[in-house]
Amino acid sequence: IQQKLHKEARDWMSVDKIWSSVMTITHNHSEFNSVMHRDNLEANLKHCNELLDSITKGLNAYLESKRLGFPRFFFLSNDELISILSHTKDFDKIQESMQKLFEYVNSITVNEELVITAMNDAEGESVPFLNKISGDTPEIEDWLNAFEEEMRNTLKVATSNCLAAYPKMKKDDWLNEFPAQVCITTNQILWTQQVTNVIKAQKLRGLRTLQTKYIEQLDQLTGIIRQPISKLLRQVVSCLLINEVHNRDIIASLISDEVQEIENFKWVKQLRYYWENETVMVKSINNNFEYSYEYAGNSARLVITPLTDRCYQTLLSAFKQFLSGAPSGPAGTGKTETVRDCAKALGRPCVVYNCSEEVTPEQMSQFFAGLSSSGSWSCFDEFNRINIEVLSVIAQQVRNIQEAIAGGVETFKLDARTLKINPNAAICITMNPGYAGRTELPDNLKALFRPVAMMVPDFVFISEIMLFSGGFTTASTLSVKLVALFDLCRKQLSNAHHYD
């Protein structure tokens, strides 16, 4: 940092020198009178303060330039960013903050020549890069931008290869061959293809045949999960089972609604995946989103209930109308997790921000700058904790971002910053209504958010699918018993503070 900021480094040396000499003399002659009657003491200290102010200004401008160079730096505090910038070649130090920049990248594999060859998640999955990235760049943001680019490129090519390999390989080998995220996405593309082709060609009769095939496929996956398999494979199969059960249920509902046309709303409203123009397109109702290939590791997925589906539909429609989403409902209804999982379904990065009374407009401005220029989704948890006077400033900031995305501009102004806009950015807030000490949102802010009412989820359904994805064949009867048991506990056991 000193090499980049010569003037500030020079000023810092003089402050350090003055301060050291002041303290040395004070230590050697520590009597009150001699300290207080020393020449120039006040002037020297004032001078030091002025220099420190200008150093802080210079340092902040330097950090700002780094953040504009790699927008995800906006999500780090100044201290964390300085720590990274002062260890640009020390990859162990940088890895400590890696998860704040890329949520599921736990570490990166770097060889002796400082070449980055792979990214790894916390579960132990490693994805080798197609093109190696040199970590030996003059500026740290150069290789971080290249890393982000290559992460997307590698996953995109892997998805293409995965689709091609599916008919030729055994299921177990296929699941072991590709990253978990790629297998799950490919599986959804194949499912969409099958349903579309069947409705087009054979109408209801074909759907019934497909339903039987899906029940067989589920048995096959349950068979895999009951064998002694590796932890990584177990996690992928578990996620696939969650998706496949949902896919089976959709086919069943299409049959019961006697869907005969591909344009039927009952089919159009589903989250559908297509491989078009060498990329994944995700469609819901009449909204199309290009998949972003943000690495999601081999992480757990949410059980998809009808409530989740409706929440996805509402949020995605809101984003297409350049609005933001506001899921609200009691604690434990899955507001934040649904937003995060929806982002994962589109391959977007998602940052969760816990709001409190201490939030200032400047902090929010910095955070908004990061998400609007990096194309991340954000979920502001318990948004109505923020003080009312800050909320009215936030309303203006959110409107600026929404107008920039709607206008399709290259750059836009947010407070004092001029930023590049990434149209993938999306803002969600979650709220718990009816808590004491929470603010009612001002009207100009309410108008920017599409409300989504979240209610108590279907526990029997969720536990059934979780048991199912764990390899239990009698999941349906077990889940009813389990939920009844826990419900009884809730009613019978004494209420204690820590059960909340």
Side-chain angles (χ1 to χ4, degrees):
I1 293 178
Q2 286 188 354
Q3 289 165 5
K4 300 276 189 308
L5 305 175
H6 298 296
K7 179 183 170 294
E8 283 77 7
R10 201 179 58 237
D11 289 352
W12 170 253
M13 299 297 246
S14 27
V15 171
D16 198 43
K17 212 162 160 187
I18 296 172
W19 177 248
S20 301
S21 71
V22 166
M23 289 326 257
T24 312
I25 299 172
T26 309
H27 180 260
N28 296 343
H29 308 282
S30 54
E31 308 76 35
F32 180 76
N33 282 350
S34 54
V35 174
M36 283 305 146
H37 288 119
R38 197 178 323 142
D39 292 344
N40 295 340
L41 179 63
E42 188 188 11
N44 280 343
L45 291 178
K46 275 185 173 164
H47 178 56
C48 283
N49 270 348
E50 281 160 16
L51 288 179
L52 284 174
D53 279 345
S54 89
I55 293 169
T56 309
K57 257 198 196 121
L59 185 60
N60 282 341
Y62 171 67
L63 294 181
E64 184 72 17
S65 71
K66 290 291 174 195
R67 287 185 167 124
L68 293 171
F70 183 64
R72 294 188 193 214
F73 279 155
F74 278 112
F75 301 137
L76 298 181
S77 67
N78 285 354
D79 296 354
E80 284 173 315
L81 186 49
I82 289 171
S83 159
I84 288 182
L85 294 175
S86 46
H87 300 89
T88 47
K89 296 283 184 283
D90 178 1
F91 281 89
D92 291 341
K93 191 76 188 160
I94 295 167
Q95 307 232 21
E96 289 173 16
S97 295
M98 206 64 190
Q99 276 180 296
K100 288 193 177 161
L101 301 173
F102 300 93
E103 187 181 355
Y104 292 99
V105 179
N106 191 43
S107 62
I108 46 181
T109 311
V110 186
N111 63 18
E112 269 81 58
E113 288 85 54
L114 292 185
V115 172
I116 302 161
T117 56
M119 55 183 171
N120 318 301
D121 78 345
E123 303 297 322
E125 178 180 85
S126 181
V127 179
F129 283 152
L130 289 177
N131 310 306
K132 310 290 178 267
I133 297 161
S134 165
D136 193 9
T137 53
E139 303 293 345
I140 186 168
E141 62 269 29
D142 297 343
W143 75 255
L144 276 168
N145 278 317
F147 174 87
E148 187 176 0
E149 186 71 23
E150 186 49 40
M151 165 180 80
R152 294 186 168 146
N153 175 44
T154 297
L155 290 174
K156 193 174 189 173
V157 174
T159 309
S160 176
N161 298 340
C162 189
L163 269 168
Y166 183 76
K168 304 171 197 160
M169 296 175 80
K170 274 182 64 194
K171 195 90 170 207
D172 312 25
D173 302 338
W174 180 73
L175 288 170
N176 276 317
E177 177 72 22
F178 297 98
Q181 176 182 3
V182 171
C183 290
I184 291 166
T185 310
T186 305
N187 187 61
Q188 291 303 94
I189 296 171
L190 292 164
W191 169 76
T192 308
Q193 273 176 5
Q194 285 174 333
V195 178
T196 311
N197 296 341
V198 160
I199 296 177
K200 271 183 186 165
Q202 303 162 309
K203 310 282 191 258
L204 274 180
R205 195 180 81 249
L207 277 175
R208 289 202 178 92
T209 324
L210 191 62
Q211 188 180 23
T212 324
K213 186 179 156 195
Y214 259 78
I215 293 168
E216 282 167 17
Q217 270 186 353
L218 281 171
D219 290 341
Q220 185 192 351
L221 284 172
T222 318
I224 297 178
I225 213 161
R226 296 170 133 208
Q227 275 147 24
I229 51 176
S230 70
K231 188 176 153 203
L232 284 176
L233 185 57
R234 184 175 299 280
Q235 177 78 319
V236 189
V237 177
S238 175
C239 291
L240 269 181
L241 269 165
I242 287 173
N243 273 339
E244 292 292 61
V245 170
H246 184 239
N247 293 345
R248 178 203 66 187
D249 292 347
I250 290 174
I251 295 173
S253 76
L254 293 177
I255 293 171
S256 72
D257 292 330
E258 299 190 352
V259 171
Q260 309 261 8
E261 295 301 323
I262 205 77
E263 283 82 30
N264 189 307
F265 184 71
K266 292 284 193 299
W267 168 239
V268 173
K269 71 176 186 180
Q270 308 300 342
L271 200 62
R272 313 179 312 284
Y273 287 72
Y274 297 88
W275 182 254
E276 292 175 357
N277 308 328
E278 291 305 298
T279 187
V280 179
M281 293 300 291
V282 186
K283 303 184 180 182
S284 162
I285 313 182
N286 51 1
N287 308 315
N288 300 346
F289 294 87
E290 192 179 328
Y291 192 80
S292 285
Y293 304 99
E294 172 79 11
Y295 181 56
N298 192 355
S299 54
R301 297 293 169 108
L302 213 55
V303 173
I304 309 166
T305 66
L307 177 71
T308 322
D309 269 337
R310 281 197 291 272
C311 183
Y312 283 8
Q313 288 154 11
T314 313
L315 287 178
L316 296 178
S317 300
F319 297 151
K320 267 301 171 209
Q321 290 161 9
F322 312 113
L323 292 167
S324 303
S328 66
T333 45
K335 299 182 291 291
T336 309
E337 286 307 317
T338 304
V339 171
R340 289 185 55 185
D341 222 64
C342 190
K344 214 186 267 184
L346 301 186
R348 305 270 199 271
C350 183
V351 188
V352 176
Y353 187 98
N354 291 316
C355 300
S356 67
E357 293 85 357
E358 283 82 54
V359 171
T360 63
E362 292 74 37
Q363 284 172 333
M364 289 306 265
S365 178
Q366 178 176 321
F367 199 86
F368 282 140
L371 71 95
S372 54
S373 45
S374 70
S376 300
W377 281 26
S378 64
C379 181
F380 293 96
D381 234 5
E382 310 225 4
F383 190 69
N384 44 355
R385 281 185 172 184
I386 300 175
N387 290 332
I388 189 94
E389 52 273 17
V390 179
L391 286 176
S392 55
V393 181
I394 292 175
Q396 193 50 51
Q397 295 168 337
V398 173
R399 167 158 280 149
N400 279 357
I401 295 172
Q402 289 179 352
E403 283 172 355
I405 296 174
V409 292
E410 288 275 311
T411 57
F412 77 114
K413 240 181 136 43
L414 182 69
D415 298 337
R417 297 182 175 95
T418 302
L419 300 160
K420 281 186 184 155
I421 183 79
N422 183 322
N424 289 342
I427 302 164
C428 284
I429 59 176
T430 70
M431 294 185 291
N432 289 344
Y435 274 89
R438 296 291 156 85
T439 329
E440 183 62 29
L441 295 190
D443 287 344
N444 62 338
L445 188 56
K446 258 190 201 159
L448 307 176
F449 288 91
R450 176 102 183 254
V452 186
M454 300 288 278
M455 48 188 220
V456 180
D458 182 341
F459 292 120
V460 176
F461 181 75
I462 293 172
S463 46
E464 177 184 350
I465 294 182
M466 286 180 78
L467 288 168
F468 201 81
S469 68
F472 288 87
T473 36
T474 54
S476 306
T477 48
L478 276 175
S479 57
V480 177
K481 293 176 183 175
L482 265 177
V483 172
L485 170 73
F486 280 111
D487 203 40
L488 204 63
C489 293
R490 187 173 56 94
K491 290 171 183 164
Q492 299 281 333
L493 299 176
S494 59
N495 260 338
H497 182 62
H498 55 270
Y499 291 160
D500 182 30

